[in-house]
Amino acid sequence: MTTPRISFEFFPPQTLDASFRLWETVQMLAPLKPSFVSVTYGAGGTTRKLTHEAVGAIGRNYGLNVAAHLTCVDATKAETLEIAEAYAAAGVTEIVALRGDAPKGAERFTAHPEGFASSVELVEALAKTGKFKLRVGAYPEPHPDAGFAGADVEHLKRKVDAGATSAITQFFFNVDTYFRFRDACVAAGIDVPIIPGILPIISWDGAKKFAARCGAHVPGALDEAFRVAARDGREDLLALTHCTTLCARLIEGGVEDLHFYTLNRPHLTQAVVRALGITPEVALEKVA
């Protein structure tokens, strides 16, 4: 089996305990030498300052290539581009450009009157600066706001045409979901890497809640398997087996990159990556 390139997603801490979890996560996963790591925005852009601080600290202290998330939510075009300039000044060369989730309490995304109306507009503006490699999101299953079959492929094509150089998918539970989407993208003329987003299942109830929010289909057989595993105390083993098998099948199907949504809980991600044949690089200390 070919060894894939890997990347990780972190989110910025909002409490002291969360801060300890983030740095434990980075310390555990950095030795696996990811090709990049990304740092999210909170819903509604609520962690803008924290994201910027986390991006800078991870880059400085761990020497990792950090892709900073940037969204269109609750900001003018000028404010959004100012944030991008601050990233550039901090040495960031990659941005994950997203529309973003609706602010807390709102049912749907509504563009700021003076802001970017979509991720396509954001990508186009960032591409004009010439300062960043631009990654975008992709939905292998219909986005909750998708208006028609094939809308997600069409929207991704527009983002690529606007300047995106790769896409990271929302997570999925069935490997065929990814392959169908990849084939549809190729048929539509999309020629950038489409990196599968992988969610190691730390909590099955939590994973199902995430799935309901983003439109990911939950297979009945997997739901039943986790119900039985919970009864027998084997949830961790099932989570490891499911995620490792999913990744192995993706690699067998020609996938070269995997992006892990760590949720700042590193142990399962680390175990999956090691099961795929990727081992930490340990620096040798000088000896007398």
Side-chain angles (χ1 to χ4, degrees):
M1 183 171 66
T2 304
T3 302
R5 291 181 292 267
I6 56 170
S7 55
F8 304 122
E9 179 181 285
F10 309 130
F11 57 81
Q14 299 191 59
T15 66
L16 182 59
D17 284 346
S19 182
F20 286 129
R21 282 202 304 274
L22 169 62
W23 300 117
E24 179 192 20
T25 299
V26 177
Q27 286 170 358
M28 283 187 64
L29 298 181
L32 294 166
K33 296 299 178 185
S35 55
F36 71 95
V37 299
S38 65
V39 181
T40 69
Y41 256 31
T46 50
T47 64
R48 212 170 268 144
K49 185 172 185 292
L50 293 171
T51 297
H52 190 276
E53 291 171 352
V55 165
I58 291 170
R60 286 193 306 273
N61 296 329
Y62 295 93
L64 297 176
N65 177 29
V66 187
H69 283 217
L70 188 60
T71 75
C72 307
V73 179
D74 199 25
T76 67
K77 292 180 180 179
E79 288 169 340
T80 301
L81 292 176
E82 282 176 13
I83 295 166
E85 287 297 329
Y87 281 146
V92 173
T93 60
E94 297 195 19
I95 283 179
V96 181
L98 306 164
R99 188 197 69 179
D101 297 327
K104 191 173 183 179
E107 291 186 5
R108 298 176 67 88
F109 169 84
T110 302
H112 188 287
E114 298 175 29
F116 294 108
S118 70
S119 53
V120 176
E121 289 188 4
L122 176 60
V123 169
E124 195 169 39
L126 291 171
K128 286 179 181 176
T129 71
K131 296 181 178 181
F132 305 103
K133 179 177 183 177
L134 299 173
R135 303 182 186 274
V136 294
Y139 278 76
E141 296 173 278
H143 186 284
D145 294 342
F148 57 91
D152 297 292
V153 173
E154 181 180 296
H155 192 58
L156 178 57
K157 180 68 163 62
R158 291 175 62 206
K159 289 189 281 190
V160 171
D161 290 345
T165 56
S166 72
I168 303 168
T169 76
Q170 184 55 269
F171 70 87
F172 47 89
F173 297 114
N174 189 321
V175 70
D176 292 332
T177 298
Y178 170 81
F179 288 129
R180 282 194 296 268
F181 179 71
R182 184 186 66 179
D183 292 347
C185 289
V186 171
I190 297 171
D191 59 358
V192 302
I194 299 173
I195 302 171
I198 308 298
L199 179 70
I201 300 170
I202 297 162
S203 159
W204 180 236
D205 285 341
K208 289 193 291 185
K209 288 176 183 176
F210 291 149
R213 288 205 297 267
C214 70
H217 172 66
V218 177
L222 188 60
D223 194 31
E224 174 64 12
F226 269 99
R227 187 189 68 78
V228 173
R231 182 192 66 196
D232 298 341
R234 295 183 292 106
E235 291 168 287
D236 291 348
L237 178 60
L238 176 57
L240 175 59
T241 302
H242 168 75
C243 193
T244 304
T245 301
L246 181 74
C247 292
R249 288 192 61 196
L250 288 166
I251 295 166
E252 289 167 3
V255 167
E256 297 179 343
D257 299 86
L258 299 169
H259 185 70
F260 291 87
Y261 297 115
T262 71
L263 305 181
N264 290 11
R265 303 285 186 179
H267 295 87
L268 180 54
T269 296
Q270 183 191 59
V272 171
V273 169
R274 284 182 164 182
L276 296 174
I278 299 171
T279 55
E281 291 187 14
V282 180
L284 295 176
E285 299 291 340
K286 290 183 178 180
V287 294

